[in-house]
Amino acid sequence: MKRSAINHLVRSAEFCFVNHGWTLPPNPRWDVTDFGLGDYQRFGLVLINLAEEPEYCEKLMYGLKGMTTPAHTHKKKKEDIICRWGQLDVFLWKSAALKKGEKLSLKISGHVTEVPTGEPIHLKAGERVTLVPGVYHEFFPASSECIIGEVSTANDDLHDNFFVNPDIGRFPGVEEDEPALIRLLSDK
């Protein structure tokens, strides 16, 4: 991923956060990814780690319409994915087979709900879906841009992300075509 694209996404995220009343903490820990697929406009996400504790973590994320976080699951992490601003579509499945039409019971905005797998759950600002380990999920902005929250049990990006697509890498390689605006979690 080119550093110029990373810088562009960081600027866009900062602008969106400021315009919608989200103040970042001092020295935020940024993560910008194309999931190693080389096409951030199709598969990409901007993340900021707000809290990283042994028992829990919190992230603020940003995406543009067209940017998908690909189907994956966690073996340990339980998480709430929250639409903080804009509209967010979330797809859920019981297994890596991504079978459509099965019934899945989970909480949406705190209420146990039965949903069909492979069908979009449309989250408006303030709404959330609670995901338990083993539930495969994929999400993307349905609006032109979206602020997304995540509150979860302890996070381990290196050992607890299991993507359906074996070509996915959690952190991108970076081509340094301009100076970095910020330091990424993956920068050495």
Side-chain angles (χ1 to χ4, degrees):
M1 188 170 184
K2 290 186 177 185
R3 183 67 69 172
S4 56
I6 292 168
N7 289 344
H8 168 73
L9 288 171
V10 166
R11 284 187 196 101
S12 296
E14 286 178 324
F15 186 79
C16 185
F17 294 151
V18 167
N19 280 343
H20 299 291
W22 287 90
T23 302
L24 298 180
N27 306 309
R29 291 175 42 89
W30 288 86
D31 178 10
V32 178
T33 186
D34 65 0
F35 299 98
L37 298 174
D39 187 358
Y40 76 88
Q41 293 171 320
R42 280 192 59 211
F43 302 103
L45 190 63
V46 177
L47 307 95
I48 299 161
N49 289 355
L50 301 177
E52 298 172 275
E53 297 296 330
E55 308 84 10
Y56 67 91
C57 77
E58 181 181 9
K59 294 179 183 177
L60 189 63
M61 299 176 278
Y62 170 80
L64 293 165
K65 189 168 192 153
M67 293 172 68
T68 297
T69 297
H72 66 288
T73 193
H74 311 284
K75 289 186 179 176
K76 296 180 183 176
K77 183 166 78 168
K78 178 180 180 180
E79 62 187 327
D80 275 19
I81 301 294
I82 310 152
C83 182
R84 295 291 189 190
W85 181 85
Q87 292 182 314
L88 183 69
D89 280 356
V90 181
F91 286 79
L92 306 171
W93 300 273
K94 289 183 172 185
S95 74
L98 306 184
K99 189 175 176 186
K100 258 183 118 169
E102 297 178 317
K103 296 295 181 191
L104 185 62
S105 183
L106 48 79
K107 287 184 181 178
I108 298 177
S109 298
H111 300 284
V112 176
T113 307
E114 193 170 273
V115 298
T117 57
E119 298 292 330
I121 296 171
H122 307 290
L123 298 179
K124 295 180 274 182
E127 296 178 330
R128 68 180 58 217
V129 60
T130 302
L131 304 173
V132 296
V135 172
Y136 283 79
H137 50 286
E138 176 174 285
F139 56 88
F140 52 85
S143 50
S144 61
E145 56 186 350
C146 190
I147 299 173
I148 308 154
E150 177 188 306
V151 176
S152 72
T153 54
N155 184 61
D156 182 354
D157 276 327
L158 296 176
H159 304 103
D160 195 33
N161 282 326
F162 300 94
F163 288 92
V164 172
N165 180 346
D167 296 332
I168 289 177
R170 178 56 187 81
F171 299 105
V174 178
E175 180 185 328
E176 301 294 348
D177 63 334
E178 69 181 40
L181 285 179
I182 49 89
R183 182 177 166 85
L184 295 174
L185 288 174
S186 57
D187 285 339
K188 305 234 179 317

